[in-house]
Structure formats: structure tokens, C-alpha cells
Amino acid sequence: MTQQNATETVQAWLSHFDNALKSGDIARVTALFADECYWRDFLAFTWNLKTCEGREEIHAMLKATLAHTQPTDWQLEGEATQNEAICEGWVTFKTAVASGKGYLRLKDGKCWTLLTTMQALNDFPEPRNHQRPKGAEHGANKQRETWQEGRAREEAELGYTRQPYCVVIGGGQGGIGLGARLKQMGIPTIIIERNPRAGDSWRNRYKSLCLHDPVWYDHLPYIPFPENWPVFAPKDKLGDWLEMYTKVMELNYWSSTECQGAHYDEAAGEWVVKVNRDGEEITLRPQQLVMATGMSGMPNVPSFPGAESFEGEQQHSSQHPGPDAYKGKKCVIIGSNNSAHDIAAALWEHDADVTMVQRSSTHIVKSDSLMEEVLGPLYSEQAVENGLTHDKADLLFASIPYKVLPDFQRPAFDAVRKRDAAFYQKLEDAGFLLDFGDDDSGLFLKYLRRGSGYYIDVGACDLVASGDIKLRSGVGIERINPHSITLSDGSELEADLIVYATGYGSMNGWAARLISQEVADKVGKCWGLGSDTTKDPGPWEGELRNMWKPTQQQALWFHGGNLHQSRHYSHYLALQLKARMEGLETPVYGLQPVHHTA
């Protein structure tokens, strides 16, 4: 099929789709979908992040949402393309309250996948481009207030004489990016951060830390990294960028502030949030509360018999200061994922005696292979040269329903496995336990399902393969002794330092700590898809649990993930909060039931 024919095919489908929706004939709408079909919606129809799988689910969704959504004006944006049996293209549309954008894939003339996303509220455009503020006030005015005076007044009032509409707990990359979205949408917001400076959540990590994701994947909203920014940003450089960003985006950022507790006042329809701001006790009463404490925010520290008797140092990877003090020391790393490898390599470089204890198999992918075989088509210099901005790439990735994402990912990781066969053989010869996920779908699915179980190799694997980093694999920890660790096979490891690179717990652990266990259980586990794979128990849920969307606790939201996710999904979370602040009707369809409380 030629590109012209593909365009005509998609345009014809959209015309039928538009007419069927306008007439309210849901049976005609669903007849346009294939036997296997998926409709992923971000707010436009459902005021939720929701994937409908199959005609029956699509029918039920439209029956509940079509009357208030009033979708119209479905248009193909640009030309459609043909990819084997699939015609695909970008679409735009309108609803009663918003403009939308999406991506459509047709298989044999019927819809296989459809993404619909809300992009902007009609009556509340962001002040950007044609809507940008003037800045200067021309003319004469005896009551003139300068920009600086206005900022100072806002900072003095908000949280004291005027309550914020939203409080964001956590001022790391997620809270800062979301804060920028909320600021641009005119939502009075305070970001609470316990560290003294924005960016400290990165600065405080072990000194060798760099991002493993490339720059094209990691831009923040509104201000992309400059063209000379390194591909993999060092932690302190990123910390400085976040601090600059917080200032330039004029965020109301309360550093050196700790949330001491919060509860929801049902009668008043607001949260009561008690904070300590640099020694001052303050009570905030926002209508919306966002937990942006980080998907990797609550350290998971295992409890091993005898740990209290250990006479050396014990620390979670999040507390590890770096390798400088451990030259000549016997260091044991419990874990074999990203932090474990990074810390082990840095300790080896500083002449420590390092042993990694690998209790279960790990997915390894070399950084160059990940960039070229997996990320490159969407996030790379070549992608940018081909006209694929990071915003377009975000939508293109989102257009793949999670149910079929393994099928999209498997060929790329098969190519990685073939390309790096000799590398993997060396690791296995050293005794390292490897996997590519339960279904061989690779890194991203492991990340989405469990947020752990992988390492993007930037050099540490060669040290493991050569024996420079010693390896004990397939064993557990029997007990901790004053100067050693006894493993489950009865062997013993001498240790001066134990680093628990054992990951993090679910974000609702922060809700338990700051609000109550009852609320934490009410909203349930954050993250995971219900894939019924390792550490992601079923049933299938189709979207990430509780992230960036309404939860079972009114006015409580969770925001986190990597820089790509924080950038993309902060847009939809901000739209949901803006709509509520302005009093728009936001009937949520498909609020997820809770299957797992932790």
C-alpha cells in the first residue's frame, strides 16, 4: 500500500468513527474495531488513565462517557504511514471541554490500537506561545507592583494568609516537574522538600552516580536540556539543573521543610497537612495532596538475624556516601541491580575488596545496546533529526497498550541478546544469573511490572566477569555476624561494610507513614500492572496502579517514575487538578479496585 492509500484508509476510518460517535451509535463505533483491539485513554473520555481491551470494554466505556464527552472533529494530522499490515497516524479531536491528540493503528481496515489524550482545557489555556504574559506593564500606575515585588508577595502569602490549592510532598525531580506544570496552569501550589536545596536528593547519593537514561529521554517540562548537555548527566550536574529550574520556573518551593502528618477533613473537603518549615510549625489546608516522594523513595531494608551484632558499617544503597573511606576494606553488596553494580564498581576503583551477593537472577543490558537497539528509534539525536521531538516520542510510546508492549519489546531485546552474546556468555561463565524477564520482554517491562531486577551496564559487568568484583550467586543470607556474613550454603564472607542494595518499597508506604495505614491500604499498592509475573501479582490491571490518576482516597494522588514518565504524565495529573480547581465536571470512569495493599 502506498502512503497515499494509507492516508485515505485512515481518513475514511476516522470519518466513519466521527459520524458514529456523533450519532451516539455505540454498536457502529465498536464495529470499527478489530476482534483484538485496545483503546488507551488519558482523561479525554474517562478522566482517568484507562485502557479498554476488546469491544465489550470499549462499548461499556462509551456507554458511560459518550454523553458528557461529546467528541467531534476527528482529523488525521499529517500523512498516515504503512508498516507491513498496519496503517497508522496521528489524530486530533475535540471534546466538550478540551482539545485532544492521539495515535491510531488500523489492521485490515479496523482499529487495533487507539490512544486518546487530553492536551488542553478549552477555557483555561496555559500562558504560553500566543497566550504568553506580557511581563512589562506599559503606562503610568501609582500602584505599580514590579515582578520582584509580586513574587515576594506571593511567597509571603501562600501557606500563611492564603492557602494553596495543592500541596506536593517531595521536591525531587517529580515534584519539581509537576510543580512547573501546576504553576503554568495557575494552580496555587507549595512543594514540600526536607532537604536544604532543590536537587539535594541527587547530590546526596553516592558520588559516582550518573543517569543511566540518555538526555533525549530525560528533559523536564518546558525547558529542555541544552544541546551540549552530556548524554548521561552526573548526579551533581542534574542537582544544579533542578535547583536552577526551580528558581527560573518560579516555584513555591519550601526547602528544609518536613511533613509531619496529614489527614483528610471530609466535612471541609480539604487536607490538613502539618509541616515543620525550618523550625516553624505550620498547618496547610490544601484541597489536593500529591505524594511525589519518588517511586524509589521508601528504602527496603531487609531484616537478617544477627544484624544488630555487626561491628562494621551497614547502610542502604540510598545512604551510601561513596567509596572514599573504604580502601582496603572488605565490602559486601547485597543485591545485583543498578545501584549494586554502580557502588561495587566505585568501591573497586578505590581499592576495596568487593563481593556482590546475587540472590536471584538479574536482567543485564549494555548501555550502548540499549541506546541503539531499544531507545534509539524514539529518543536519540537521530530521532530528533527525523523530527521526533521528545513530546511526540512520549505519545508514540504511550500509544502501545501495556498488554501488547511485550510483543513490541521482544524483537529489540532479541537483537540485544544476539549482538552481545559473547558478553552474556562471559557473565554466565563467572556464575552470574541472567534473565530477560519472565517472558523475555526485557528492561522496560521489568521496570513497569516491578521497578527492579535489572542493571544497565556501564562497565561493572566486566569487573564481575573478570572476578575483580567477586560474586556469590544463587545464595541467601543466613545471618549477620560481628565481622562476617553467613550465607545460606554455609559459607562465610568477611565484611567491614555491608551495603543493602535491596531496592525500595511501594509509594503507599509513604501514605502509611504520613497519613495512616488505613489510607495506605485504602489506595493499595502503587506501581505494577498485574501481569502475574515475578513481583507483579495479578489480576491484570492494564495501567500502572495508582500513578498520576484518581485513587480510592479522594483528593490523594501519586506522582513519580523516571524523568521521562515524570515529564509526560505530570501533564495529565496537572490537567486533572486544574479541572477540579475550576469546578469542571470530572466523572471518573474505571477507578481501579484495590487488589494489593503493599
Side-chain angles (χ1 to χ4, degrees), residues 357-386:
V357 178
Q358 183 191 28
R359 296 177 295 169
S360 57
S361 65
T362 308
H363 173 52
I364 303 289
V365 58
K366 290 174 74 71
S367 177
D368 288 349
S369 301
L370 180 68
M371 299 309 113
E372 293 169 25
E373 301 287 351
V374 185
L375 277 173
L378 290 182
Y379 301 98
S380 64
E381 204 65 49
Q382 186 63 50
V384 173
E385 290 171 359
N386 292 338

Side-chain angles (χ1 to χ4, degrees), residues 322-596:
D324 300 53
Y326 304 105
K327 181 176 181 178
K329 302 288 188 181
K330 293 187 180 297
C331 304
V332 178
I333 316 296
I334 310 298
S336 55
N337 296 339
N338 270 335
S339 294
H341 279 84
D342 284 349
I343 291 170
L347 286 166
W348 177 86
E349 288 176 348
H350 285 71
D351 299 316
D353 181 322
V354 188
T355 301
M356 179 184 292
V357 178
Q358 183 191 28
R359 296 177 295 169
S360 57
S361 65
T362 308
H363 173 52
I364 303 289
V365 58
K366 290 174 74 71
S367 177
D368 288 349
S369 301
L370 180 68
M371 299 309 113
E372 293 169 25
E373 301 287 351
V374 185
L375 277 173
L378 290 182
Y379 301 98
S380 64
E381 204 65 49
Q382 186 63 50
V384 173
E385 290 171 359
N386 292 338
L388 197 57
T389 65
H390 57 272
D391 289 327
K392 267 194 150 181
D394 291 348
L395 285 170
L396 205 54
F397 189 72
S399 74
I400 307 168
Y402 287 140
K403 194 67 174 276
V404 299
L405 185 59
D407 297 331
F408 277 73
Q409 292 287 291
R410 232 175 260 113
F413 283 97
D414 286 345
V416 167
R417 197 193 316 236
K418 183 177 179 181
R419 164 179 171 154
D420 296 324
F423 163 77
Y424 290 121
Q425 189 61 55
K426 282 196 304 180
L427 273 176
E428 290 188 309
D429 290 346
F432 197 88
L433 303 175
L434 287 168
D435 70 60
F436 272 73
D438 288 12
D439 56 357
D440 289 329
S441 57
L443 180 95
F444 290 114
L445 269 300
K446 262 207 162 186
Y447 173 67
L448 292 166
R449 290 165 175 170
R450 53 183 281 191
S452 64
Y454 55 84
Y455 167 55
I456 300 172
D457 178 44
V458 293
C461 284
D462 287 336
L463 297 174
V464 173
S466 66
D468 290 304
I469 294 174
K470 299 168 188 174
L471 176 69
R472 298 302 307 274
S473 59
V475 292
I477 310 301
E478 188 71 25
R479 67 180 178 274
I480 308 289
N481 310 306
H483 300 285
S484 65
I485 300 171
T486 302
L487 302 178
S488 57
D489 63 0
S491 62
E492 197 166 337
L493 290 174
E494 291 182 57
D496 301 304
L497 168 70
I498 303 172
V499 179
Y500 297 108
T502 46
Y504 299 85
S506 172
M507 283 179 70
N508 71 331
W510 281 105
R513 179 179 293 187
L514 298 177
I515 306 171
S516 69
Q517 189 63 54
E518 180 185 7
V519 168
D521 291 343
K522 184 178 180 181
V523 299
K525 181 178 178 177
C526 299
W527 212 260
L529 301 170
S531 61
D532 213 17
T533 57
T534 304
K535 296 190 177 181
D536 184 30
W540 177 250
E541 301 191 43
E543 292 287 344
L544 285 171
R545 300 181 187 100
N546 283 321
M547 299 304 298
W548 317 293
K549 61 184 179 181
T551 68
Q552 293 286 351
Q553 170 59 54
Q554 184 179 348
L556 178 63
W557 311 79
F558 293 88
H559 175 68
N562 59 33
L563 280 158
H564 147 75
Q565 290 171 307
S566 290
R567 172 187 67 244
H568 186 211
Y569 290 100
S570 62
H571 178 57
Y572 306 110
L573 178 47
L575 283 170
Q576 292 172 84
L577 296 174
K578 177 66 172 177
R580 284 162 173 77
M581 187 182 84
E582 300 296 350
L584 299 181
E585 288 187 31
T586 56
V588 176
Y589 177 80
L591 184 64
Q592 283 188 327
V594 173
H595 300 291
H596 307 284

Side-chain angles (χ1 to χ4, degrees), residues 44 91-95 98-102 116-120 122:
V91 299
T92 61
F93 61 96
K94 297 174 182 175
T95 71
S99 59
K101 190 179 181 83
T116 49
T117 71
M118 181 181 292
Q119 289 295 301
N122 295 337

Side-chain angles (χ1 to χ4, degrees), residues 197-199 203 238-248:
R197 295 165 59 198
R203 293 188 191 94
L238 182 61
D240 289 347
W241 181 267
L242 291 171
E243 188 172 33
M244 176 281 298
Y245 185 93
T246 300
K247 185 176 181 66
V248 169

